[in-house]
Amino acid sequence: MKKNKEIQIRMEETTRVLQGTKYDVTELHIGKKKMGEILEYGPKDFRTFMDSEAIGSSKTFELAVEAIIRQWNLHE
């Protein structure tokens, strides 16, 4: 039976200005590869992006992280 290997995901917080509005952005990385980004549009509105392509929105930060990890696992 093959054992599951633990993978470290690193988060980097930055800010971006889009259309004159400043947003908090969290980037998720595995090693040197960027998995995706989470933009916090509001208190219960987290938008997720992979390779500049929107993949959805979530009500909590944790759900947004899960969405990126799920998409990453499907494509890698």
Side-chain angles (χ1 to χ4, degrees):
M1 183 176 205
K2 194 174 185 180
K3 288 187 177 183
N4 288 337
K5 187 166 85 170
E6 250 186 63
I7 297 174
Q8 294 287 325
I9 297 175
R10 180 172 40 92
M11 294 184 193
E12 292 182 9
E13 301 212 1
T14 62
T15 55
R16 285 225 180 98
V17 177
L18 300 171
Q19 300 173 350
T21 306
K22 193 175 187 180
Y23 294 102
D24 291 328
V25 178
T26 303
E27 296 178 347
L28 277 67
H29 297 267
I30 288 182
K32 293 182 180 180
K33 290 184 179 182
K34 182 164 76 170
M35 295 172 62
E37 300 174 322
I38 302 170
L39 273 67
E40 186 176 344
Y41 276 91
K44 289 189 176 183
D45 189 10
F46 297 89
R47 309 275 172 94
T48 52
F49 297 88
M50 289 182 75
D51 297 326
S52 300
E53 182 181 324
I55 61 170
S57 65
S58 303
K59 290 185 178 183
T60 66
F61 180 78
E62 290 79 14
L63 290 174
V65 170
E66 284 182 31
I68 290 177
I69 292 171
R70 264 193 237 109
Q71 285 294 322
W72 177 264
N73 285 333
L74 287 175
H75 296 290
E76 288 298 314

